[in-house]
Amino acid sequence: MSRPRVVVAGLGDTGVLTAVRLGRRYDVVGVSVKPGLVSGQELGHRLTDPERWAQDYRFGFDRLRGLDRVRVVHGELTGVDLGQRSVEVQRPDGSTERHGYDVLVISTGVTNGFWRRPVLESPAEVDAGIRAHHERLAAASSIAVVGGGAAAVSTAANAARVWPEKRVALYFPREAALPQHHRRIWSHLRPRLEELGVGLHAGHRAQVPPDPDRITAGPVRFSTGQDDAPADAVVWAVGRTRPNSGWLPDSVIDDDGFVRTDRDLTVPGADGVFAIGDVAATDPLRSSARNFTYRLLVSNIHAHLDGKPLKAWKPPRRRWGSVIGLQPDGTTIYAPDGRPFRVPRLPWVRVMQPWVTNRLIYRGVRRAR
Ligand SMILES: Cc1cc2nc3c(=O)[nH]c(=O)nc-3n(C[C@H](O)[C@H](O)[C@H](O)COP(=O)(O)OP(=O)(O)OC[C@H]3O[C@@H](n4cnc5c(N)ncnc54)[C@H](O)[C@@H]3O)c2cc1C
């Protein structure tokens, strides 16, 4: 009997975590515009210390043991036929191919600033982009970071730590940054940023340029009346996300272009179709990108193919986890109620990353050659 066919559309953070768990039971095809996992996580580390960042957040697909049984197709999804159950993929050489499925997982994420763009790239192009963004900031003597979310806070904190000689400022529109996290988290991080010398500018709503998907030169202008802020380099981390759903029919997307998704991660009206991650309209915080939701997805795919009932999921009300990532004294994880818990650097690097993240979460990562 032939095995069920699963197509994982988009091999980013959630697509990879799903695909590595399916290859044993199904014929899995994973489609990706990127030649490997290029995680959207930890922007601050990626910009300030890209080589160290790449050790944990950028893997060639051949390094992920769980993908050994997955056929990875490098190309861009250009369409889906929900009736015929097949997706269309355009390969880098311009040719197109179709892949049939019994289950389709939509995990194409969002476009979010210069660091997350759904363009077809070779490994050399990915490396060149990451290097160019780092060099742009390294060459600046003053850096303005615009935005109040985790990406902005992480960028400002890590830039100030790695380059203490630069002037680093963070501009955010409300009284406190991190509005999607518990307020305790900003209260805990604020003094840390001040210690690092980050200039904190609350109540500053910047006028976003028409093309914020790149690092620009200053000055930053504000619609809230303050003077222009000069800066050699401006990082726009303003959360202006656009779903990567142009390849999908209107019947499965909502008015904002996100994929309509039920609490069991199925897409209503499209049998055998699931969605996860930033593209899935599960809840305002897009919580299925985090919180180990890939586990529920995998178990619901098994249930769907075995004719069993699916389980539903309750998204958390707040974001939690690390915000500024690994620091010289370790990594601080914030619980949903905002309480911090610090794992010292050595256990993080020697135990958490290799054993918990690489072995248990990613199902085995080979050493880089
Ligand atoms: C601890 C932590 C820290 C974080 N830090 C940050 C941060 O600093 N900055 C930030 O922005 N987010 C951050 N995030 C958020 C995180 O990066 C995203 O939530 C996560 O990447 C979402 O995963 P995804 O699979 O939905 O999307 P992605 O990881 O973006 O994966 C989608 C993939 O699909 C590909 N794709 C898109 N369209 C197509 C197509 N048509 N054909 C083929 N492939 C396509 C994309 O190129 C991409 O490779 C963090 C999250 C956590 C848990």
Side-chain angles (χ1 to χ4, degrees):
M1 215 175 66
S2 65
R3 304 199 312 164
R5 297 162 306 166
V6 179
V7 168
V8 180
L11 288 177
D13 282 324
T14 59
V16 160
L17 291 171
T18 306
V20 295
R21 287 168 170 78
L22 297 176
R24 276 181 192 276
R25 279 179 62 172
Y26 312 119
D27 281 341
V28 184
V29 170
V31 184
S32 174
V33 283
K34 304 292 173 204
L37 174 63
V38 186
S39 173
Q41 295 183 40
E42 304 292 5
L43 177 63
H45 288 268
R46 170 171 164 168
L47 289 170
T48 55
D49 190 356
E51 281 172 25
R52 178 70 188 79
W53 173 85
Q55 286 174 20
D56 297 335
Y57 296 106
R58 165 143 161 59
F59 308 125
F61 290 131
D62 57 341
R63 289 183 53 206
L64 292 162
R65 291 182 194 280
L67 293 186
D68 290 353
R69 295 163 196 250
V70 171
R71 195 175 144 215
V72 176
V73 174
H74 187 205
E76 181 182 356
L77 292 141
T78 47
V80 58
D81 185 330
L82 296 173
Q84 294 292 320
R85 295 184 177 229
S86 67
V87 294
E88 185 184 82
V89 179
Q90 181 162 21
R91 301 296 302 271
D93 64 5
S95 62
T96 53
E97 53 191 45
R98 297 198 81 84
H99 296 274
Y101 63 82
D102 297 297
V103 163
L104 171 64
V105 175
I106 299 172
S107 50
T108 39
V110 296
T111 301
N112 184 15
F114 57 86
W115 63 99
R116 282 177 79 197
R117 296 185 312 121
V119 286
L120 204 54
E121 284 181 317
S122 66
E125 286 167 330
V126 173
D127 289 340
I130 292 172
R131 206 172 38 246
H133 295 139
H134 167 71
E135 285 170 1
R136 177 80 172 79
L137 290 196
S141 29
S142 57
I143 299 171
V145 183
V146 182
V153 171
S154 156
T155 300
N158 285 293
R161 177 179 58 78
V162 172
W163 295 305
E165 72 288 1
K166 297 188 197 302
R167 197 157 44 81
V168 179
L170 176 67
Y171 299 93
F172 48 99
R174 304 184 192 205
E175 271 321 294
L178 301 175
Q180 295 179 330
H181 293 70
H182 195 284
R183 61 191 152 68
R184 277 199 194 110
I185 302 181
W186 179 238
S187 306
H188 187 256
L189 273 170
R190 188 188 172 111
R192 179 113 200 208
L193 267 77
E194 283 167 344
E195 246 171 61
L196 289 166
V198 178
L200 297 176
H201 302 276
H204 283 61
R205 185 172 291 281
Q207 291 174 7
V208 181
D211 57 341
D213 286 353
R214 62 194 182 91
I215 299 173
T216 66
V220 183
R221 301 203 158 83
F222 302 97
S223 58
T224 30
Q226 295 91 349
D227 289 344
D228 294 357
D232 294 334
V234 185
V235 175
W236 299 92
V238 285
R240 195 171 273 188
T241 58
R242 280 97 62 210
N244 298 327
S245 59
W247 60 285
L248 292 166
D250 290 348
S251 60
V252 297
I253 58 181
D254 68 15
D255 292 344
D256 299 318
F258 289 88
V259 179
R260 289 187 291 110
T261 311
D262 280 340
R263 285 289 150 87
D264 54 10
L265 302 174
T266 57
V267 175
D271 189 36
V273 182
F274 294 77
I276 187 166
D278 285 343
V279 78
T282 47
D283 64 301
L285 296 183
R286 301 292 181 254
S287 305
S288 73
R290 304 162 176 82
N291 306 295
F292 309 103
T293 314
Y294 59 86
R295 289 192 200 149
L296 175 82
L297 173 60
V298 169
S299 106
N300 278 351
I301 290 172
H302 294 325
H304 169 80
L305 290 170
D306 293 343
K308 294 189 177 148
L310 274 53
K311 292 201 180 93
W313 156 78
K314 191 163 171 258
R317 288 195 357 259
R318 292 215 167 83
R319 288 223 164 127
W320 64 280
S322 152
V323 176
I324 62 173
L326 182 63
Q327 301 295 306
D329 62 351
T331 298
T332 301
I333 309 282
Y334 296 95
D337 69 0
R339 288 181 204 281
F341 173 75
R342 188 171 61 84
V343 182
R345 189 176 176 97
L346 214 56
W348 185 271
V349 173
R350 298 263 171 88
V351 182
M352 282 299 289
Q353 199 65 43
W355 295 98
V356 179
T357 307
N358 290 0
R359 181 68 68 99
L360 295 179
I361 297 183
Y362 282 108
R363 292 285 169 95
V365 180
R366 296 187 178 92
R367 280 178 196 280
R369 264 177 268 151

